[in-house]
Amino acid sequence: MQLTARPTGTPVTATYWMSHAWLGTHVEPGVTLDVAGGRIAGVRTGIDAPPPGATALRGLTLPGLANTHSHAFHRALRSTVQVGSGTFWTWRELMYRAASRLTPDTYFDLARATYAEMALAGITSVGEFHYLHHAPGGTPYDNPNAMGEALIAAAGEAGIRITLLDTAYLAAGFGERPNRHQLRFSDTTADAWAERASLLKGGDHALIGAAIHSVRAVPAGQLATVVRWAEERGAPLHVHLSEQTAENDACLTAHGRTPTRLLADHGVLGPRTTGIHNTHLTAEDIELLGNSGTGTCMCPTTERDLADGIGPAAALQRAGSPLSLGSDSHAVIDLFEEARAMELNERLRTHVRGHWTAAALLRAASADGHAALGRPDAGTLEPGAPADLTTVALDSVRTAGPAPRLAAEAAVFAASAADVRHTVVAGRHVVRDGRHTLVEDVPSALAEAIAALHG
């Protein structure tokens, strides 16, 4: 088989030979992939050995993974928040403390290292849910988007794509002014948020989207402003939704309806919208999300780390809500762990195995995640798609043994981020043989960036 969609006059700039490739429905041995203009120009199967000049990718090559939900600065909390006990709300106080120490320069350093860790984990695109906008006390920087631009630059230097989901975060709760920590997050009104966010510019590796932090953080009367901003730009719109039962209770008290119903009543739901977590939902909530085509991003490692609960992912998907995955607070950065955790959580809930196939879980970790980030053409190894791919070793202690036809099952149910050998973004080899080609020493970069916040 040979599939070709090379742009006229665009030369092939790279050819990759994959010992095994995931083609959406099956594992195919011996595949070459040509790159032209940063996109896949041709795919050929039945190639037993690397052609002259081709770069060999040995293992299972998948479409690049999409990390749909990230808070980059939460990477500084890893392990330090595992001392003692508490709830989401006590964890939040530690998060505020870390946020208070960041500047545009230190945020760039931390985000660059965090995004490099993502590249090492096979992630080629991240959705950064960005609400840390201003200086301590809420004073805007001279460049009002200094923090967001630091994140965009950090992703570029780490070699991955970013959808900066600039977040409206205006209140501490229903009818409550921002507390001293949240002053950094707040633009005071949705109109002021829209004015600032409109100054952001994307690029080859960066898209600009919008986010509503939550129904408790954006007054109901101002939701429409954020929705309109996203609609005018055809941009993705994300929102934390029903992560905690306390939020549901407060919304019912303030508005007499659930957060999902409140969002529906104010025009927030729809195919370009993704609800993050969607954990504590009623049957009506699930129907509203599914019927509107609103997506669901599950973040299982964070949801279990924060003791949030297990969201109704299977019911949401049956209702019509596309599923994607995120590492959120970065307790770990491992999309294979997120994918299998979604399945294993559902097994614990139902006492039944096999709710999603490996193929379905890979789609949540790639194509549906990219679509939620405004890149519906990504997440496949087909001509015309972005040349974003990742290769997982099939000979590690975790993945060795299964027949090659079961390589997708090995990747989803046994592999970890440590098994990623190669990551390619727009045809460029960002991770080669397990080493980042742009950030020389990622562990040291992480350690130095985090130490700077605790010094």
Side-chain angles (χ1 to χ4, degrees):
M1 176 183 73
Q2 180 170 342
L3 300 173
T4 302
R6 185 177 306 163
T8 303
T10 304
V12 170
T13 54
T15 297
Y16 291 96
W17 176 81
M18 301 169 281
S19 63
H20 296 85
W22 176 249
L23 298 185
T25 57
H26 66 287
V27 176
E28 184 75 27
V31 179
T32 63
L33 183 150
D34 293 329
V35 178
R39 293 185 173 269
I40 299 173
V43 178
R44 299 184 301 278
T45 59
I47 313 297
D48 294 334
T55 299
L57 305 178
R58 299 185 186 279
L60 175 65
T61 298
L62 307 163
L65 305 179
N67 189 357
T68 306
H69 189 64
S70 161
H71 302 293
F73 76 91
H74 290 191
R75 177 60 180 83
L77 301 174
R78 186 182 295 177
S79 299
T80 64
V81 292
Q82 302 301 344
V83 178
S85 61
T87 66
F88 167 86
W89 306 102
T90 52
W91 170 90
R92 190 175 71 161
E93 292 302 313
L94 297 173
M95 180 270 287
Y96 285 157
R97 195 179 307 165
S100 70
R101 299 179 177 131
L102 285 162
T103 68
D105 288 340
T106 58
Y107 205 5
F108 168 83
D109 292 339
L110 177 58
R112 174 178 174 267
T114 301
Y115 296 152
E117 181 182 356
M118 290 185 194
L120 289 169
I123 292 163
T124 58
S125 188
V126 61
E128 183 61 38
F129 200 103
H130 167 56
Y131 54 81
L132 188 53
H133 303 305
H134 307 302
T139 302
Y141 289 102
D142 290 340
N143 171 2
N145 285 305
M147 297 295 262
E149 290 178 6
L151 292 166
I152 291 171
E157 292 214 5
I160 70 171
R161 305 182 193 271
I162 184 172
T163 298
L164 187 75
L165 297 157
D166 196 277
T167 304
Y169 193 138
L170 309 176
F174 298 99
E176 298 179 28
R177 294 175 59 83
N179 64 35
R180 62 186 181 87
H181 300 293
Q182 296 163 342
L183 291 173
R184 295 198 75 175
F185 310 159
S186 178
D187 291 294
T188 69
T189 69
D191 286 335
W193 166 84
E195 182 178 356
R196 180 188 53 73
S198 296
L199 300 175
L200 284 162
K201 294 179 173 59
D204 290 341
H205 81 288
L207 299 176
I208 308 300
I212 294 162
H213 179 272
S214 55
V215 293
R216 70 178 186 274
V218 178
Q222 300 189 57
L223 291 170
T225 299
V226 186
V227 173
R228 184 167 57 250
W229 189 96
E231 285 179 345
E232 289 171 352
R233 292 159 177 78
L237 174 62
H238 289 206
V239 55
H240 289 134
L241 180 56
S242 289
E243 181 178 5
Q244 289 286 321
T245 55
E247 176 179 277
N248 288 2
D249 294 342
C251 189
L252 286 165
T253 299
H255 295 286
R257 66 200 80 178
T258 66
T260 301
R261 169 54 74 181
L262 184 68
L263 294 176
D265 290 347
H266 288 271
V268 178
L269 304 185
R272 285 186 297 99
T273 300
T274 298
I276 311 300
H277 304 302
N278 295 0
T279 306
H280 302 285
L281 303 178
T282 66
E284 182 192 36
D285 292 340
I286 292 171
E287 184 178 1
L288 285 168
L289 292 166
N291 288 346
S292 63
T294 301
T296 294
C297 176
M298 290 289 176
C299 306
T301 65
T302 291
E303 289 150 5
R304 68 192 183 197
D305 181 57
L306 299 183
D308 287 343
I310 299 172
L316 282 160
Q317 188 172 55
R318 285 194 299 270
S321 180
L323 299 179
S324 57
L325 298 165
S327 64
D328 192 358
S329 68
H330 313 312
V332 297
I333 294 176
D334 188 336
L335 264 289
F336 301 112
E337 176 64 21
E338 304 293 347
R340 67 173 158 265
M342 187 165 70
E343 164 66 27
L344 298 181
N345 282 351
E346 198 68 14
R347 293 182 186 186
L348 286 174
R349 183 216 302 279
T350 63
H351 302 173
V352 175
R353 303 175 75 244
H355 299 272
W356 291 278
T357 63
L361 293 170
L362 286 174
R363 182 174 180 86
S366 56
D368 285 344
H370 291 295
L373 297 179
R375 300 184 186 275
D377 57 342
T380 65
L381 300 183
E382 297 177 357
D388 299 351
L389 39 138
T390 187
T391 303
V392 180
L394 295 178
D395 57 358
S396 77
V397 293
R398 289 166 291 276
T399 60
R405 63 182 175 81
L406 297 175
E409 285 75 11
V412 171
F413 290 102
S416 76
D419 295 311
V420 171
R421 292 294 175 264
H422 304 280
T423 301
V424 173
V425 181
R428 178 171 67 166
H429 217 143
V430 175
V431 173
R432 186 191 299 267
D433 296 319
R435 294 188 64 84
H436 204 289
T437 64
L438 304 175
V439 180
E440 183 175 350
D441 186 344
V442 178
S444 292
L446 285 163
E448 291 168 10
I450 293 168
L453 300 184
H454 299 298

